[in-house]
Amino acid sequence: MADSKPPAYDEDSLVVSDDPHHPANHICTLCRNFYNFGWVTGTGGGVSIKHGDHVYIAPSGVQKELMKPTDMFVMDYKSGEYLRRPEAHKPSACTPLFMAAFTKRGAGCCIHTHSQWAVLVTLICESGMQYHGNTKVFAIKEIEQIKGISRGGYGNTNPKDEILEGGRKAGNLGYFDTLRIPIIENTAHEEDLRESLEKAIEEWPETTAVLVRRHGLYVWGKDVAQAKTQCESLDYLFQLAVEMHKMGLSWLN
Amino acid sequence: MADSKPPAYDEDSLVVSDDPHHPANHICTLCRNFYNFGWVTGTGGGVSIKHGDHVYIAPSGVQKELMKPTDMFVMDYKSGEYLRRPEAHKPSACTPLFMAAFTKRGAGCCIHTHSQWAVLVTLICESGMQYHGNTKVFAIKEIEQIKGISRGGYGNTNPKDEILEGGRKAGNLGYFDTLRIPIIENTAHEEDLRESLEKAIEEWPETTAVLVRRHGLYVWGKDVAQAKTQCESLDYLFQLAVEMHKMGLSWLN
Amino acid sequence: MADSKPPAYDEDSLVVSDDPHHPANHICTLCRNFYNFGWVTGTGGGVSIKHGDHVYIAPSGVQKELMKPTDMFVMDYKSGEYLRRPEAHKPSACTPLFMAAFTKRGAGCCIHTHSQWAVLVTLICESGMQYHGNTKVFAIKEIEQIKGISRGGYGNTNPKDEILEGGRKAGNLGYFDTLRIPIIENTAHEEDLRESLEKAIEEWPETTAVLVRRHGLYVWGKDVAQAKTQCESLDYLFQLAVEMHKMGLSWLN
Amino acid sequence: MADSKPPAYDEDSLVVSDDPHHPANHICTLCRNFYNFGWVTGTGGGVSIKHGDHVYIAPSGVQKELMKPTDMFVMDYKSGEYLRRPEAHKPSACTPLFMAAFTKRGAGCCIHTHSQWAVLVTLICESGMQYHGNTKVFAIKEIEQIKGISRGGYGNTNPKDEILEGGRKAGNLGYFDTLRIPIIENTAHEEDLRESLEKAIEEWPETTAVLVRRHGLYVWGKDVAQAKTQCESLDYLFQLAVEMHKMGLSWLN
């Protein structure tokens, strides 16, 4: 965001591949699907994949469903320097937020949506009933789809039934567990969410996602498959919760 | 579910075919469509086809819209032994539930969805008004789409107007009939639904489907076409019932 | 519906064409789109095209999105005899209802949907407030999309501003006109709707569509384009009307 | 609309191109997508692109998802004369409204939708609470997606933080800004909206869109990308606002 624009690097070798699972191709495919789900409307939302020491990030302010691999930014994970920086684009303001999931949870993929169901859930929770300690929180239980969400831990890389440090169980949540997603306050500028997002990640070691009030969702996983399926399961639960709320049905019986 | 993992068998000849109606291909096509309907969000839901003495089952925990024929499990119907068991996957926890529809109803295809409309209908029915004897039940009548649901019997293989044992009529429900779908309690582990699902199938000889509270739907038919079209008709009726409930309109006048 | 099944005629020359606008091809394309709109769920709904003296009709009880041109029935318009009658299929029970639009209005295409919005509108109208003379009716005004519906007359073939017999104006409805669609009672068997549908067509010379209570919609036009766009405009208006009703907004101010 | 039909000009060189971003091709692609969003149902809605001194406009009364480049009208921007006028079609009644965005705001693309969310928002605003001075207005704030809407100015061509004449800031709205979209009264004939639309554009120098009561939305941008992404962001906000209204949540806290 400095006045002097940094130099652009068009290292195409980092983004050109015939493999549909190459991160530069994969992000394009994911974004087309996310667009159809209403998760990246306008130019909102985004996705980042960590591939070895390379972090691939969709640019800011572009139509996500039309992205090409050559639109991609690539950052060196260790140094935080750009290895590829397309001249035509601005880096995503979500970059420090994606990095928080990579560094603090060992995640391999992080997705940010503007899904209306996520926003509506935070609006319903504003009424103040869904506190947990000092943090606002979305909480629901006894819905089968909760089993699609990991019990947390470091990128959710642990097999079922393993005991993590601190005595927590690994694997996914069970039907009788309560799913809790912390809700942080929105800020005027997306990059300013970094501090509160990192704080939420630290204070909620079991969460695999953070809701941002009146804004959307950040969700991560050890790889693309886990991040994507958790994003789908959460979006399903948010939509169900909104419909339940409309009919006066409680989220926690 | 034993501690010692059973050996994997990659009998590709069972799943490789150019015929789009071969069960291994058909399951992949169905799952892509079901994904777009919101029936198999995350890695939820599933489908199984019985083809002669071979039972084809989608694996557990995979993204259903991305499945390939080689991901498929194949079980011998008579012995219950796996003829094909891909090393990369776990067998579906729904397997004993699919088998219940095959053995107790002579079904040729069984579908399991996590459709939100199914879940919402079970949530509305929790309020206690929709009992039928001792079982919770979803009941609706005088909606044309009810005619898309079979009157029940053994896999719904009977032509219209035939009289089944016990004096029941075969064929599909009529406009003035009441559609009743039993609702069973959910369990912590999917495979533990087996006993109550089998009991519901026995106690409700006319039903072609069973709702699972806060979880979803099991629906079967004599073949893929009947299972799929009944699943669509039921999902239509569940969605309509939710919208009717929102507007204070009764399901049974 | 006679006990002795009439002979099947597989006159493929009537349905095989490279022209995407040939009725046998066109019906298949339309049904795939209608399936995605939720208009022909399960095996519900249907469509018929009159092409010269040939009437093309989708068969009964098939998955509409999977139809092939060779599945099509072809009837001689003047004699009412089948020119083509695929052995694998049953003729549609909607056939006499499609014929009513062709004979009484000179229509070239008639569409039947099970759209939930149509069904919900008839359910809301059951409350009794929307009578017009002795008939139940759906009525709405001052919504721009009303301008997508013809003012009626014989297949809506008249140019704007022409005066029809009886002094009615031709062309489409205006923004300040009231759209009225009669609602007829449903019957146990679809073919038994014929009498009341024909009566509604006669008593409502300006209507281009008839709603069937708790069942769906019949809509026609001079050609496929008019029938399809009117079906879309009506479905839009039904959906809007349901949403308005949920929020306590009047359809007629 | 004159009695004597003007001559048709089939200047195909103006609309035939291999470039998918050529305006004649681009309008066809956009309309297929807008159809799937429910923005151009029936034959409603439309889009126009200004390309140098040529204005490309979709014709009136056609199925927008089926348009071909050769269906397009082309007008000379300076003279207002048609350079291309397909004989089979009528010019769009929206033409003077699209021209208002081009001449008064320097826009490069203008979109008109019949989106139900836009219509429902104007219906909710009819209740009278959302006035701003003498004009009815839709207003919402503190929703992240507001940042997808430009702060206004002449076609929104100004970089962030530039100060426009009159002291207004350029760039997009911020999270804490209030988005205000004026609502003008609908008229019997679309072309008669011109005067009030031009008045709204003059009186609301910061707006990039105008709602038409019980009709839909006009939205523009400096180019296709900005017009389209703003249209998406507004439609998102209208849908969210309707859902908020259903649950008694205020648009302005």
Side-chain angles (χ1 to χ4, degrees), chain B residues 51-104:
Chain B
H51 184 69
D53 280 345
H54 293 169
V55 176
Y56 288 78
I57 316 147
S60 174
V62 302
Q63 299 171 75
K64 298 289 185 290
E65 79 282 14
L66 301 180
M67 276 195 307
K68 301 178 303 297
T70 49
D71 292 325
M72 226 55 62
F73 283 71
V74 185
M75 184 180 267
D76 182 73
Y77 177 65
K78 287 177 181 156
S79 68
E81 308 266 310
Y82 283 107
L83 304 173
R84 186 170 196 279
R85 202 178 191 296
E87 195 164 8
H89 297 304
K90 285 190 303 181
S92 170
C94 304
T95 305
L97 310 172
F98 294 142
M99 289 301 284
F102 298 150
T103 57
K104 294 194 171 292

Side-chain angles (χ1 to χ4, degrees), chain B residues 129-156:
Chain B
M129 294 176 296
Q130 303 285 337
Y131 271 92
H132 186 75
N134 285 326
T135 326
K136 281 229 164 98
V137 61
F138 166 73
I140 194 166
K141 71 173 186 175
E142 290 181 33
I143 301 292
E144 181 73 8
Q145 196 73 29
I146 289 172
K147 293 162 75 173
I149 309 297
S150 77
R151 201 181 288 276
Y154 304 88
N156 318 312

Side-chain angles (χ1 to χ4, degrees), chain A residues 34-52:
Chain A
F34 294 173
Y35 178 76
N36 290 327
F37 291 157
W39 292 355
V40 294
T41 299
T43 65
V47 57
S48 177
I49 296 175
K50 180 175 175 292
H51 183 67

Side-chain angles (χ1 to χ4, degrees), chain C residues 37-196:
Chain C
F37 291 157
W39 292 355
V40 295
T41 298
T43 65
V47 57
S48 178
I49 296 175
K50 180 174 177 292
H51 183 68
D53 279 345
H54 293 168
V55 176
Y56 288 77
I57 316 147
S60 173
V62 302
Q63 299 172 74
K64 297 289 184 292
E65 79 281 14
L66 302 180
M67 276 195 308
K68 301 179 303 296
T70 50
D71 293 325
M72 227 54 63
F73 284 71
V74 186
M75 185 181 267
D76 183 72
Y77 178 65
K78 287 177 181 159
S79 69
E81 307 266 309
Y82 284 107
L83 303 174
R84 185 169 196 281
R85 203 178 189 295
E87 195 164 6
H89 297 304
K90 285 190 304 180
S92 170
C94 303
T95 305
L97 310 172
F98 294 142
M99 289 301 284
F102 299 150
T103 57
K104 294 194 171 291
R105 290 296 179 93
C109 177
C110 186
I111 299 168
H112 171 45
T113 85
H114 283 195
S115 166
Q116 296 204 15
W117 305 114
V119 172
L120 286 168
V121 152
T122 71
L123 286 163
I124 294 168
C125 288
E126 280 182 18
S127 63
M129 293 176 296
Q130 303 285 337
Y131 272 92
H132 186 76
N134 285 324
T135 326
K136 281 228 164 101
V137 63
F138 165 73
I140 195 166
K141 69 173 186 175
E142 290 181 32
I143 301 292
E144 181 72 8
Q145 196 73 29
I146 290 173
K147 292 162 75 172
I149 309 297
S150 78
R151 201 182 287 276
Y154 305 88
N156 316 314
T157 53
N158 298 285
K160 204 174 168 183
D161 296 331
E162 189 180 319
I163 304 299
L164 302 177
E165 52 176 303
R168 285 175 292 105
K169 283 185 287 183
N172 277 17
L173 290 170
Y175 175 67
F176 293 107
D177 291 326
T178 299
L179 169 73
R180 291 190 182 85
I181 308 288
I183 306 174
I184 63 174
E185 190 58 37
N186 200 21
T187 54
H189 300 288
E190 193 134 19
E191 53 269 34
D192 296 340
L193 285 172
R194 181 186 183 164
E195 193 178 346
S196 58

Side-chain angles (χ1 to χ4, degrees), chain B residues 195-232:
Chain B
E195 192 178 348
S196 58
L197 187 84
E198 289 184 348
K199 187 158 166 282
I201 288 176
E202 282 160 19
E203 291 183 353
W204 294 77
E206 297 208 357
T207 197
T208 192
V210 174
L211 282 160
V212 185
R213 195 170 73 97
R214 293 170 168 266
H215 181 153
L217 177 74
Y218 281 88
V219 54
W220 56 85
K222 64 183 174 188
D223 53 21
V224 171
Q226 196 190 38
K228 168 185 164 287
T229 59
Q230 291 196 140
C231 193
E232 288 178 14

Side-chain angles (χ1 to χ4, degrees), chain C residues 142 144-145 228 232 236 243, chain D residues 35 42 63 65 114 246:
Chain C
E142 290 181 32
E144 181 72 8
Q145 196 73 29
K228 168 185 164 287
E232 288 177 16
Y236 170 110
E243 294 299 309
Chain D
Y35 178 76
Q63 300 172 74
E65 79 282 14
H114 283 195
K246 281 184 191 168

